Amino acid sequence: QVQLVESGGKLVQAGDSLRLSCAASGRTFSSNAMGWFRQAPGKEREFVATIGWSGDITYYADSVKGRFTISRDNAKNTVYLQMNSLEPGDTAVYICAASHAAGASSRRGTYDYWGQGTQVTVSS
């Protein structure tokens, strides 16, 4: 059974940093792109960041560009999201996803596996 388990979310203050982790089990995703999405209460799920299979290619939503960094450790089957200069608008459930494709993509339709999410709350 494939599982993606996110961790690292918590309540922080504006300006703080946080690192999220997503550990995959049940199969290896070293040949697949991975992504982070987020969903705030009452809002649609939105793309945050994606990384290609080798880690060389990354894309970010404009709202997080320059503040967030996605990375991966294929030996550990784990992807990370380093979040700096957090803002109240970043408050959401952060969800990890694994793509069926090798290339990085912001399109939800390319992702076959989804985690349950981890809550990030940023207070002002």
Side-chain angles (χ1 to χ4, degrees):
Q1 180 183 1
V2 175
Q3 280 192 312
L4 300 177
V5 179
E6 304 91 338
S7 62
K10 65 178 184 179
L11 171 63
V12 297
Q13 293 188 332
D16 284 353
S17 296
L18 204 56
R19 188 173 87 151
L20 305 182
S21 299
C22 171
S25 61
R27 58 160 284 186
T28 180
F29 288 102
S30 58
S31 299
N32 302 78
M34 301 290 290
W36 285 97
F37 291 75
R38 68 186 182 186
Q39 188 163 17
K43 294 189 177 181
E44 293 288 319
R45 185 172 297 186
E46 65 173 359
F47 164 74
V48 175
T50 179
I51 186 167
W53 72 275
S54 68
D56 289 346
I57 305 295
T58 58
Y59 299 123
Y60 299 92
D62 287 343
S63 59
V64 307
K65 203 172 294 182
R67 298 188 299 121
F68 290 12
T69 302
I70 188 171
S71 61
R72 65 189 299 163
D73 185 338
N74 285 342
K76 295 182 178 180
N77 219 19
T78 299
V79 64
Y80 306 97
L81 185 68
Q82 177 67 41
M83 305 186 294
N84 298 330
S85 302
L86 282 161
E87 304 167 352
D90 296 319
T91 295
V93 174
Y94 282 73
I95 303 157
C96 173
S99 173
H100 56 252
S105 173
S106 62
R107 294 187 294 118
R108 287 178 57 179
T110 65
Y111 293 88
D112 293 337
Y113 301 100
W114 297 83
Q116 292 298 308
T118 185
Q119 177 70 47
V120 173
T121 303
V122 184
S123 66
S124 58

PDB file of all heavy atoms in Angstrom, residues 40-70:
ATOM      1  N   ALA A  40      -6.407  26.029   2.216  1.00  0.00           N
ATOM      2  CA  ALA A  40      -6.874  26.815   3.347  1.00  0.00           C
ATOM      3  C   ALA A  40      -8.380  26.608   3.495  1.00  0.00           C
ATOM      4  O   ALA A  40      -9.054  26.242   2.530  1.00  0.00           O
ATOM      5  CB  ALA A  40      -6.555  28.286   3.114  1.00  0.00           C
ATOM      6  N   PRO A  41      -8.917  26.856   4.683  1.00  0.00           N
ATOM      7  CA  PRO A  41     -10.354  26.664   4.900  1.00  0.00           C
ATOM      8  C   PRO A  41     -11.190  27.463   3.904  1.00  0.00           C
ATOM      9  O   PRO A  41     -10.963  28.666   3.715  1.00  0.00           O
ATOM     10  CB  PRO A  41     -10.560  27.167   6.329  1.00  0.00           C
ATOM     11  CG  PRO A  41      -9.239  26.982   6.981  1.00  0.00           C
ATOM     12  CD  PRO A  41      -8.221  27.252   5.914  1.00  0.00           C
ATOM     13  N   GLY A  42     -12.128  26.797   3.270  1.00  0.00           N
ATOM     14  CA  GLY A  42     -13.023  27.469   2.341  1.00  0.00           C
ATOM     15  C   GLY A  42     -12.417  27.795   0.990  1.00  0.00           C
ATOM     16  O   GLY A  42     -13.050  28.474   0.179  1.00  0.00           O
ATOM     17  N   LYS A  43     -11.191  27.331   0.760  1.00  0.00           N
ATOM     18  CA  LYS A  43     -10.515  27.628  -0.510  1.00  0.00           C
ATOM     19  C   LYS A  43     -10.180  26.353  -1.263  1.00  0.00           C
ATOM     20  O   LYS A  43     -10.117  25.265  -0.689  1.00  0.00           O
ATOM     21  CB  LYS A  43      -9.250  28.443  -0.250  1.00  0.00           C
ATOM     22  CG  LYS A  43      -9.516  29.840   0.297  1.00  0.00           C
ATOM     23  CD  LYS A  43      -8.247  30.654   0.320  1.00  0.00           C
ATOM     24  CE  LYS A  43      -8.506  32.076   0.788  1.00  0.00           C
ATOM     25  NZ  LYS A  43      -7.260  32.901   0.786  1.00  0.00           N
ATOM     26  N   GLU A  44      -9.933  26.520  -2.556  1.00  0.00           N
ATOM     27  CA  GLU A  44      -9.520  25.395  -3.379  1.00  0.00           C
ATOM     28  C   GLU A  44      -8.080  24.991  -3.043  1.00  0.00           C
ATOM     29  O   GLU A  44      -7.274  25.818  -2.598  1.00  0.00           O
ATOM     30  CB  GLU A  44      -9.599  25.786  -4.855  1.00  0.00           C
ATOM     31  CG  GLU A  44     -11.010  26.023  -5.372  1.00  0.00           C
ATOM     32  CD  GLU A  44     -11.787  24.733  -5.498  1.00  0.00           C
ATOM     33  OE1 GLU A  44     -11.191  23.739  -5.955  1.00  0.00           O
ATOM     34  OE2 GLU A  44     -12.979  24.717  -5.151  1.00  0.00           O
ATOM     35  N   ARG A  45      -7.791  23.731  -3.298  1.00  0.00           N
ATOM     36  CA  ARG A  45      -6.409  23.277  -3.148  1.00  0.00           C
ATOM     37  C   ARG A  45      -5.563  23.967  -4.207  1.00  0.00           C
ATOM     38  O   ARG A  45      -5.944  24.028  -5.381  1.00  0.00           O
ATOM     39  CB  ARG A  45      -6.336  21.760  -3.318  1.00  0.00           C
ATOM     40  CG  ARG A  45      -4.983  21.157  -3.062  1.00  0.00           C
ATOM     41  CD  ARG A  45      -5.050  19.646  -3.057  1.00  0.00           C
ATOM     42  NE  ARG A  45      -5.908  19.162  -1.982  1.00  0.00           N
ATOM     43  CZ  ARG A  45      -6.057  17.872  -1.686  1.00  0.00           C
ATOM     44  NH1 ARG A  45      -5.401  16.947  -2.379  1.00  0.00           N
ATOM     45  NH2 ARG A  45      -6.855  17.507  -0.708  1.00  0.00           N
ATOM     46  N   GLU A  46      -4.402  24.481  -3.805  1.00  0.00           N
ATOM     47  CA  GLU A  46      -3.565  25.207  -4.743  1.00  0.00           C
ATOM     48  C   GLU A  46      -2.146  24.664  -4.759  1.00  0.00           C
ATOM     49  O   GLU A  46      -1.635  24.162  -3.757  1.00  0.00           O
ATOM     50  CB  GLU A  46      -3.535  26.703  -4.404  1.00  0.00           C
ATOM     51  CG  GLU A  46      -2.900  27.054  -3.086  1.00  0.00           C
ATOM     52  CD  GLU A  46      -2.763  28.565  -2.890  1.00  0.00           C
ATOM     53  OE1 GLU A  46      -3.152  29.340  -3.786  1.00  0.00           O
ATOM     54  OE2 GLU A  46      -2.245  28.960  -1.825  1.00  0.00           O
ATOM     55  N   PHE A  47      -1.524  24.806  -5.898  1.00  0.00           N
ATOM     56  CA  PHE A  47      -0.150  24.370  -6.100  1.00  0.00           C
ATOM     57  C   PHE A  47       0.813  25.250  -5.322  1.00  0.00           C
ATOM     58  O   PHE A  47       0.640  26.480  -5.258  1.00  0.00           O
ATOM     59  CB  PHE A  47       0.180  24.430  -7.596  1.00  0.00           C
ATOM     60  CG  PHE A  47       1.635  24.372  -7.917  1.00  0.00           C
ATOM     61  CD1 PHE A  47       2.344  23.176  -7.817  1.00  0.00           C
ATOM     62  CD2 PHE A  47       2.317  25.512  -8.307  1.00  0.00           C
ATOM     63  CE1 PHE A  47       3.695  23.123  -8.112  1.00  0.00           C
ATOM     64  CE2 PHE A  47       3.669  25.470  -8.612  1.00  0.00           C
ATOM     65  CZ  PHE A  47       4.358  24.274  -8.506  1.00  0.00           C
ATOM     66  N   VAL A  48       1.824  24.640  -4.734  1.00  0.00           N
ATOM     67  CA  VAL A  48       2.856  25.379  -4.002  1.00  0.00           C
ATOM     68  C   VAL A  48       4.217  25.216  -4.672  1.00  0.00           C
ATOM     69  O   VAL A  48       4.881  26.197  -5.006  1.00  0.00           O
ATOM     70  CB  VAL A  48       2.939  24.917  -2.537  1.00  0.00           C
ATOM     71  CG1 VAL A  48       4.097  25.600  -1.819  1.00  0.00           C
ATOM     72  CG2 VAL A  48       1.624  25.174  -1.808  1.00  0.00           C
ATOM     73  N   ALA A  49       4.648  23.958  -4.849  1.00  0.00           N
ATOM     74  CA  ALA A  49       5.978  23.711  -5.403  1.00  0.00           C
ATOM     75  C   ALA A  49       6.055  22.300  -5.966  1.00  0.00           C
ATOM     76  O   ALA A  49       5.329  21.407  -5.531  1.00  0.00           O
ATOM     77  CB  ALA A  49       7.046  23.895  -4.329  1.00  0.00           C
ATOM     78  N   THR A  50       6.961  22.103  -6.919  1.00  0.00           N
ATOM     79  CA  THR A  50       7.170  20.789  -7.508  1.00  0.00           C
ATOM     80  C   THR A  50       8.640  20.587  -7.811  1.00  0.00           C
ATOM     81  O   THR A  50       9.378  21.554  -8.022  1.00  0.00           O
ATOM     82  CB  THR A  50       6.333  20.622  -8.785  1.00  0.00           C
ATOM     83  OG1 THR A  50       6.582  19.330  -9.352  1.00  0.00           O
ATOM     84  CG2 THR A  50       6.682  21.680  -9.819  1.00  0.00           C
ATOM     85  N   ILE A  51       9.052  19.332  -7.824  1.00  0.00           N
ATOM     86  CA  ILE A  51      10.446  18.996  -8.105  1.00  0.00           C
ATOM     87  C   ILE A  51      10.485  17.771  -9.009  1.00  0.00           C
ATOM     88  O   ILE A  51       9.745  16.803  -8.792  1.00  0.00           O
ATOM     89  CB  ILE A  51      11.220  18.766  -6.781  1.00  0.00           C
ATOM     90  CG1 ILE A  51      12.708  18.557  -7.042  1.00  0.00           C
ATOM     91  CG2 ILE A  51      10.634  17.607  -5.977  1.00  0.00           C
ATOM     92  CD1 ILE A  51      13.551  18.656  -5.762  1.00  0.00           C
ATOM     93  N   GLY A  52      11.334  17.821 -10.015  1.00  0.00           N
ATOM     94  CA  GLY A  52      11.475  16.700 -10.930  1.00  0.00           C
ATOM     95  C   GLY A  52      12.184  15.528 -10.284  1.00  0.00           C
ATOM     96  O   GLY A  52      12.723  15.634  -9.171  1.00  0.00           O
ATOM     97  N   TRP A  53      12.221  14.400 -10.984  1.00  0.00           N
ATOM     98  CA  TRP A  53      12.734  13.176 -10.412  1.00  0.00           C
ATOM     99  C   TRP A  53      14.166  13.294  -9.915  1.00  0.00           C
ATOM    100  O   TRP A  53      14.528  12.715  -8.888  1.00  0.00           O
ATOM    101  CB  TRP A  53      12.615  12.023 -11.419  1.00  0.00           C
ATOM    102  CG  TRP A  53      13.608  12.142 -12.546  1.00  0.00           C
ATOM    103  CD1 TRP A  53      13.468  12.855 -13.706  1.00  0.00           C
ATOM    104  CD2 TRP A  53      14.917  11.561 -12.590  1.00  0.00           C
ATOM    105  NE1 TRP A  53      14.593  12.747 -14.470  1.00  0.00           N
ATOM    106  CE2 TRP A  53      15.503  11.962 -13.824  1.00  0.00           C
ATOM    107  CE3 TRP A  53      15.647  10.747 -11.733  1.00  0.00           C
ATOM    108  CZ2 TRP A  53      16.778  11.564 -14.191  1.00  0.00           C
ATOM    109  CZ3 TRP A  53      16.920  10.340 -12.103  1.00  0.00           C
ATOM    110  CH2 TRP A  53      17.471  10.752 -13.327  1.00  0.00           C
ATOM    111  N   SER A  54      15.007  14.050 -10.622  1.00  0.00           N
ATOM    112  CA  SER A  54      16.421  14.152 -10.243  1.00  0.00           C
ATOM    113  C   SER A  54      16.686  15.268  -9.255  1.00  0.00           C
ATOM    114  O   SER A  54      17.777  15.340  -8.683  1.00  0.00           O
ATOM    115  CB  SER A  54      17.270  14.370 -11.488  1.00  0.00           C
ATOM    116  OG  SER A  54      17.008  15.649 -12.029  1.00  0.00           O
ATOM    117  N   GLY A  55      15.712  16.130  -9.072  1.00  0.00           N
ATOM    118  CA  GLY A  55      15.909  17.259  -8.171  1.00  0.00           C
ATOM    119  C   GLY A  55      16.456  18.497  -8.843  1.00  0.00           C
ATOM    120  O   GLY A  55      16.602  19.536  -8.198  1.00  0.00           O
ATOM    121  N   ASP A  56      16.765  18.415 -10.128  1.00  0.00           N
ATOM    122  CA  ASP A  56      17.380  19.538 -10.837  1.00  0.00           C
ATOM    123  C   ASP A  56      16.374  20.613 -11.233  1.00  0.00           C
ATOM    124  O   ASP A  56      16.742  21.776 -11.401  1.00  0.00           O
ATOM    125  CB  ASP A  56      18.086  19.035 -12.104  1.00  0.00           C
ATOM    126  CG  ASP A  56      19.335  18.249 -11.781  1.00  0.00           C
ATOM    127  OD1 ASP A  56      19.798  18.324 -10.623  1.00  0.00           O
ATOM    128  OD2 ASP A  56      19.841  17.554 -12.676  1.00  0.00           O
ATOM    129  N   ILE A  57      15.134  20.226 -11.441  1.00  0.00           N
ATOM    130  CA  ILE A  57      14.114  21.156 -11.906  1.00  0.00           C
ATOM    131  C   ILE A  57      13.091  21.387 -10.804  1.00  0.00           C
ATOM    132  O   ILE A  57      12.557  20.430 -10.233  1.00  0.00           O
ATOM    133  CB  ILE A  57      13.392  20.624 -13.160  1.00  0.00           C
ATOM    134  CG1 ILE A  57      14.403  20.294 -14.267  1.00  0.00           C
ATOM    135  CG2 ILE A  57      12.349  21.627 -13.629  1.00  0.00           C
ATOM    136  CD1 ILE A  57      15.149  21.497 -14.787  1.00  0.00           C
ATOM    137  N   THR A  58      12.832  22.639 -10.506  1.00  0.00           N
ATOM    138  CA  THR A  58      11.815  23.003  -9.523  1.00  0.00           C
ATOM    139  C   THR A  58      10.982  24.170 -10.052  1.00  0.00           C
ATOM    140  O   THR A  58      11.486  25.011 -10.800  1.00  0.00           O
ATOM    141  CB  THR A  58      12.437  23.415  -8.177  1.00  0.00           C
ATOM    142  OG1 THR A  58      13.326  24.522  -8.384  1.00  0.00           O
ATOM    143  CG2 THR A  58      13.223  22.271  -7.543  1.00  0.00           C
ATOM    144  N   TYR A  59       9.715  24.182  -9.645  1.00  0.00           N
ATOM    145  CA  TYR A  59       8.819  25.296  -9.973  1.00  0.00           C
ATOM    146  C   TYR A  59       8.069  25.686  -8.706  1.00  0.00           C
ATOM    147  O   TYR A  59       7.792  24.832  -7.860  1.00  0.00           O
ATOM    148  CB  TYR A  59       7.814  24.912 -11.055  1.00  0.00           C
ATOM    149  CG  TYR A  59       8.405  24.508 -12.373  1.00  0.00           C
ATOM    150  CD1 TYR A  59       8.124  23.261 -12.940  1.00  0.00           C
ATOM    151  CD2 TYR A  59       9.248  25.366 -13.076  1.00  0.00           C
ATOM    152  CE1 TYR A  59       8.657  22.886 -14.151  1.00  0.00           C
ATOM    153  CE2 TYR A  59       9.803  24.989 -14.290  1.00  0.00           C
ATOM    154  CZ  TYR A  59       9.495  23.745 -14.823  1.00  0.00           C
ATOM    155  OH  TYR A  59      10.045  23.375 -16.028  1.00  0.00           O
ATOM    156  N   TYR A  60       7.724  26.951  -8.621  1.00  0.00           N
ATOM    157  CA  TYR A  60       7.033  27.456  -7.443  1.00  0.00           C
ATOM    158  C   TYR A  60       5.855  28.337  -7.841  1.00  0.00           C
ATOM    159  O   TYR A  60       5.881  29.006  -8.878  1.00  0.00           O
ATOM    160  CB  TYR A  60       7.989  28.278  -6.580  1.00  0.00           C
ATOM    161  CG  TYR A  60       9.165  27.496  -6.054  1.00  0.00           C
ATOM    162  CD1 TYR A  60      10.361  27.439  -6.758  1.00  0.00           C
ATOM    163  CD2 TYR A  60       9.074  26.796  -4.848  1.00  0.00           C
ATOM    164  CE1 TYR A  60      11.440  26.704  -6.279  1.00  0.00           C
ATOM    165  CE2 TYR A  60      10.146  26.070  -4.367  1.00  0.00           C
ATOM    166  CZ  TYR A  60      11.323  26.026  -5.090  1.00  0.00           C
ATOM    167  OH  TYR A  60      12.387  25.297  -4.612  1.00  0.00           O
ATOM    168  N   ALA A  61       4.863  28.368  -6.962  1.00  0.00           N
ATOM    169  CA  ALA A  61       3.797  29.344  -7.113  1.00  0.00           C
ATOM    170  C   ALA A  61       4.391  30.731  -6.875  1.00  0.00           C
ATOM    171  O   ALA A  61       5.317  30.891  -6.072  1.00  0.00           O
ATOM    172  CB  ALA A  61       2.684  29.069  -6.109  1.00  0.00           C
ATOM    173  N   ASP A  62       3.859  31.725  -7.564  1.00  0.00           N
ATOM    174  CA  ASP A  62       4.386  33.088  -7.414  1.00  0.00           C
ATOM    175  C   ASP A  62       4.312  33.553  -5.961  1.00  0.00           C
ATOM    176  O   ASP A  62       5.179  34.304  -5.503  1.00  0.00           O
ATOM    177  CB  ASP A  62       3.592  34.051  -8.301  1.00  0.00           C
ATOM    178  CG  ASP A  62       3.910  33.881  -9.773  1.00  0.00           C
ATOM    179  OD1 ASP A  62       4.950  33.262 -10.097  1.00  0.00           O
ATOM    180  OD2 ASP A  62       3.120  34.358 -10.604  1.00  0.00           O
ATOM    181  N   SER A  63       3.299  33.095  -5.249  1.00  0.00           N
ATOM    182  CA  SER A  63       3.090  33.567  -3.878  1.00  0.00           C
ATOM    183  C   SER A  63       4.170  33.083  -2.912  1.00  0.00           C
ATOM    184  O   SER A  63       4.323  33.656  -1.829  1.00  0.00           O
ATOM    185  CB  SER A  63       1.717  33.117  -3.372  1.00  0.00           C
ATOM    186  OG  SER A  63       1.610  31.704  -3.416  1.00  0.00           O
ATOM    187  N   VAL A  64       4.911  32.047  -3.285  1.00  0.00           N
ATOM    188  CA  VAL A  64       5.933  31.504  -2.369  1.00  0.00           C
ATOM    189  C   VAL A  64       7.346  31.600  -2.944  1.00  0.00           C
ATOM    190  O   VAL A  64       8.311  31.291  -2.241  1.00  0.00           O
ATOM    191  CB  VAL A  64       5.634  30.039  -1.999  1.00  0.00           C
ATOM    192  CG1 VAL A  64       4.213  29.895  -1.460  1.00  0.00           C
ATOM    193  CG2 VAL A  64       5.869  29.092  -3.155  1.00  0.00           C
ATOM    194  N   LYS A  65       7.454  32.041  -4.192  1.00  0.00           N
ATOM    195  CA  LYS A  65       8.765  32.111  -4.847  1.00  0.00           C
ATOM    196  C   LYS A  65       9.699  33.002  -4.063  1.00  0.00           C
ATOM    197  O   LYS A  65       9.341  34.110  -3.658  1.00  0.00           O
ATOM    198  CB  LYS A  65       8.579  32.628  -6.270  1.00  0.00           C
ATOM    199  CG  LYS A  65       9.673  32.265  -7.223  1.00  0.00           C
ATOM    200  CD  LYS A  65       9.308  32.661  -8.641  1.00  0.00           C
ATOM    201  CE  LYS A  65       8.126  31.862  -9.162  1.00  0.00           C
ATOM    202  NZ  LYS A  65       7.788  32.199 -10.563  1.00  0.00           N
ATOM    203  N   GLY A  66      10.918  32.515  -3.821  1.00  0.00           N
ATOM    204  CA  GLY A  66      11.892  33.271  -3.069  1.00  0.00           C
ATOM    205  C   GLY A  66      11.825  33.043  -1.567  1.00  0.00           C
ATOM    206  O   GLY A  66      12.740  33.411  -0.834  1.00  0.00           O
ATOM    207  N   ARG A  67      10.742  32.409  -1.094  1.00  0.00           N
ATOM    208  CA  ARG A  67      10.597  32.130   0.346  1.00  0.00           C
ATOM    209  C   ARG A  67      10.619  30.628   0.634  1.00  0.00           C
ATOM    210  O   ARG A  67      11.109  30.208   1.686  1.00  0.00           O
ATOM    211  CB  ARG A  67       9.279  32.719   0.866  1.00  0.00           C
ATOM    212  CG  ARG A  67       9.179  34.214   0.731  1.00  0.00           C
ATOM    213  CD  ARG A  67       7.938  34.754   1.442  1.00  0.00           C
ATOM    214  NE  ARG A  67       6.689  34.222   0.889  1.00  0.00           N
ATOM    215  CZ  ARG A  67       5.793  33.541   1.591  1.00  0.00           C
ATOM    216  NH1 ARG A  67       5.993  33.296   2.868  1.00  0.00           N
ATOM    217  NH2 ARG A  67       4.677  33.114   1.013  1.00  0.00           N
ATOM    218  N   PHE A  68      10.095  29.836  -0.289  1.00  0.00           N
ATOM    219  CA  PHE A  68      10.008  28.384  -0.084  1.00  0.00           C
ATOM    220  C   PHE A  68      11.008  27.668  -0.989  1.00  0.00           C
ATOM    221  O   PHE A  68      11.289  28.123  -2.101  1.00  0.00           O
ATOM    222  CB  PHE A  68       8.605  27.871  -0.411  1.00  0.00           C
ATOM    223  CG  PHE A  68       7.520  28.269   0.548  1.00  0.00           C
ATOM    224  CD1 PHE A  68       7.725  29.241   1.516  1.00  0.00           C
ATOM    225  CD2 PHE A  68       6.270  27.668   0.480  1.00  0.00           C
ATOM    226  CE1 PHE A  68       6.717  29.605   2.404  1.00  0.00           C
ATOM    227  CE2 PHE A  68       5.258  28.017   1.349  1.00  0.00           C
ATOM    228  CZ  PHE A  68       5.486  28.994   2.317  1.00  0.00           C
ATOM    229  N   THR A  69      11.518  26.539  -0.512  1.00  0.00           N
ATOM    230  CA  THR A  69      12.430  25.711  -1.302  1.00  0.00           C
ATOM    231  C   THR A  69      12.024  24.252  -1.174  1.00  0.00           C
ATOM    232  O   THR A  69      11.912  23.733  -0.057  1.00  0.00           O
ATOM    233  CB  THR A  69      13.881  25.874  -0.834  1.00  0.00           C
ATOM    234  OG1 THR A  69      14.259  27.247  -0.920  1.00  0.00           O
ATOM    235  CG2 THR A  69      14.818  25.044  -1.706  1.00  0.00           C
ATOM    236  N   ILE A  70      11.817  23.605  -2.306  1.00  0.00           N
ATOM    237  CA  ILE A  70      11.502  22.183  -2.311  1.00  0.00           C
ATOM    238  C   ILE A  70      12.772  21.402  -2.623  1.00  0.00           C
ATOM    239  O   ILE A  70      13.608  21.835  -3.428  1.00  0.00           O
ATOM    240  CB  ILE A  70      10.386  21.866  -3.343  1.00  0.00           C
ATOM    241  CG1 ILE A  70       9.923  20.417  -3.211  1.00  0.00           C
ATOM    242  CG2 ILE A  70      10.834  22.196  -4.756  1.00  0.00           C
ATOM    243  CD1 ILE A  70       8.678  20.099  -4.054  1.00  0.00           C
TER     244      ILE A  70
END
